[in-house]
Amino acid sequence: MNMDELLKSTARSLYLSAKFMPKNMGGTFSCAYLICRAADSIADTDLISVDKRIKLIHDYLKMVETSDEGLLQELKKAIPEKNNLHENERVLLEHIDICLEAFKNLSPLHKKITLDVVNAVCKAMQWDLSYFPESESGLLKASPSSARTELYCEHMGGEPGIFWAKLLLNGKEDTSFTENGKKIGMALQITNILRDLPQDIKIGRIYLPLTDLTSNDLMPQDLLEKKTYKKLKPIIFKWINWGVDNLENAKAFMSGIPRRKFFSRAAVAWPVLWSFDTLLLLSSCKNLLDKNKIQKIPKKTIYLTMLASPLYCFSNKVFAKLVDKKAALVRKQTGK
């Protein structure tokens, strides 16, 4: 088992993206993603007690930074029995030492930006575990405020966006470029939150703000009923538009990447365009509270976006027009 095989078994689309990246970038990207994904697998499994998961996530950054053997063995001992965990997650956790070895071989700069993103993601996971009720409790809790929802998006999406920007800058300083990367990452995260709304409700988590719910005469438990979606819809549209506003920073971000770096530009453009497509799908959905319908853009859309890459990845102007067109379609749907 090696890093390529781990990434391929865990996230096939990201594996394809990483294969097209320059070698020094692709290796760091794969390493950082797999380390964060392993932490997510720990945080999300209710087969480990909440207290134990909080401790494992609390110690996780130190384990990555120092390759502490004691902490590594503690994590491995906590992995549930074979039949109780998704096989891909099991394989990743059982081979996390491969990721730690890869981390040790990164350059000092790449080590630092990897640790920064792991630290941010672990903070968000610790908040998840300490704030929300246990998944089997039958309780439901919403994020306390818009500020808290935005902070969560910053940790889980914005910091990976900063990581990606710094990876592209390779030691150079560009505050504007980094900030745009952060905003794109936050938009991708709110897209995930909105798409996964019914699945998160099942485990007692609502990342939408309680203040938004109460201002629309809703309480968290009301979201268990599909009929309440009419009241929830303005809140969904508010956050869809927030995502669109942040995604529009991709135009400036793309212009900061040299046109000759086709694959780096494609690796930025693809998730941005797919996020626009997902937000359009969510905005036109009749009822996002329907747990039986998973909102996913079709594979055809994914492949067409990739095939059309030469049309927009070599031109900042064409890419900007494409972003504007997709943003307008979503805003038309939300009535903004």
Side-chain angles (χ1 to χ4, degrees):
M1 184 64 69
N2 57 37
M3 288 283 289
D4 271 1
E5 292 169 332
L6 277 177
L7 187 63
K8 188 175 182 179
S9 68
T10 306
R12 184 173 290 272
S13 60
L14 289 178
Y15 167 76
L16 292 172
S17 296
K19 293 295 283 184
F20 285 115
M21 294 178 194
K23 189 174 181 181
N24 67 318
M25 289 176 57
T28 303
F29 172 83
S30 300
C31 180
Y33 172 79
L34 288 171
I35 288 172
C36 289
R37 180 63 183 268
D40 186 60
S41 295
I42 297 164
D44 276 354
T45 178
D46 55 9
L47 300 169
I48 304 173
S49 71
V50 172
D51 289 345
K52 182 66 173 177
R53 278 181 277 163
I54 289 174
K55 184 181 186 308
L56 289 171
I57 296 299
H58 178 269
D59 293 339
Y60 194 78
L61 184 69
K62 181 181 178 183
M63 183 195 74
V64 173
E65 187 172 11
T66 65
S67 294
D68 187 289
E69 186 63 26
L71 295 176
L72 176 60
Q73 291 308 314
E74 184 179 356
L75 185 153
K76 288 193 171 187
K77 285 178 183 177
I79 300 173
E81 293 299 320
K82 186 170 184 178
N83 293 331
N84 294 332
L85 193 67
H86 193 284
E87 186 59 24
N88 290 343
E89 293 179 327
R90 169 172 300 285
V91 169
L92 176 56
L93 290 173
E94 288 181 344
H95 293 86
I96 188 64
D97 46 332
I98 293 175
C99 302
L100 299 183
E101 189 62 32
F103 173 79
K104 285 196 292 187
N105 293 324
L106 297 180
S107 69
L109 171 64
H110 285 193
K111 279 184 179 179
K112 183 183 183 308
I113 62 175
T114 298
L115 287 174
D116 286 345
V117 72
V118 173
N119 182 45
V121 167
C122 284
K123 279 183 179 179
M125 291 174 185
Q126 285 178 274
W127 178 74
D128 269 346
L129 291 169
S130 59
Y131 179 77
F132 289 112
E134 293 189 44
S135 59
E136 300 298 322
S137 68
L139 300 174
L140 194 56
K141 199 172 183 180
S143 174
S145 66
S146 291
R148 181 70 246 193
T149 297
E150 290 184 17
L151 182 61
Y152 185 79
C153 288
E154 181 179 332
H155 284 160
M156 288 296 286
E159 286 295 335
I162 290 172
F163 164 84
W164 182 236
K166 289 185 175 179
L167 197 58
L168 288 166
L169 289 170
N170 197 29
K172 298 177 184 176
E173 290 292 330
D174 189 330
T175 304
S176 178
F177 187 74
T178 305
E179 183 65 17
N180 285 330
K182 173 183 171 182
K183 289 177 179 177
I184 293 168
M186 291 173 72
L188 299 183
Q189 184 59 33
I190 198 63
T191 302
N192 291 339
I193 285 173
L194 295 170
R195 184 197 61 205
D196 296 340
L197 180 64
Q199 287 73 40
D200 287 333
I201 288 173
K202 280 184 181 179
I203 58 172
R205 299 179 181 183
I206 301 173
Y207 291 99
L208 299 174
L210 179 61
T211 48
D212 282 2
L213 297 181
T214 55
S215 66
N216 283 268
D217 196 27
L218 288 168
M219 292 299 290
Q221 293 296 324
D222 294 331
L223 272 57
L224 294 171
E225 300 289 338
K226 289 196 296 183
K227 64 183 180 182
T228 61
Y229 187 64
K230 186 175 181 180
K231 287 184 179 180
L232 182 66
K233 205 169 185 177
I235 301 171
I236 298 295
F237 281 5
K238 166 192 169 180
W239 288 98
I240 285 176
N241 288 322
W242 184 82
V244 169
D245 290 344
N246 281 294
L247 275 180
E248 287 186 307
N249 290 279
K251 294 183 290 185
F253 191 79
M254 184 70 102
S255 68
I257 306 172
R259 276 188 278 265
R260 68 179 183 278
K261 294 187 176 182
F262 173 83
F263 293 116
S264 294
R265 289 166 66 88
V268 170
W270 292 345
V272 167
L273 298 176
W274 292 331
S275 186
F276 272 120
D277 293 335
T278 302
L279 291 174
L280 181 60
L281 183 67
L282 296 175
S283 66
S284 59
C285 176
K286 291 183 178 179
N287 197 324
L288 282 181
L289 294 178
D290 189 344
K291 300 178 178 66
N292 297 317
K293 293 184 180 179
I294 299 174
Q295 303 298 318
K296 279 189 176 182
I297 56 175
K299 287 184 179 180
K300 180 182 177 181
T301 299
I302 292 173
Y303 295 143
L304 285 175
T305 300
M306 296 174 76
L307 284 171
S309 298
L311 298 177
Y312 56 80
C313 281
F314 285 120
S315 170
N316 293 329
K317 187 178 290 186
V318 172
F319 180 73
K321 285 183 177 180
L322 186 56
V323 166
D324 288 341
K325 180 181 178 181
K326 287 182 177 288
L329 286 172
V330 179
R331 289 194 174 113
K332 182 180 179 181
Q333 192 66 39
T334 62
K336 184 175 179 181

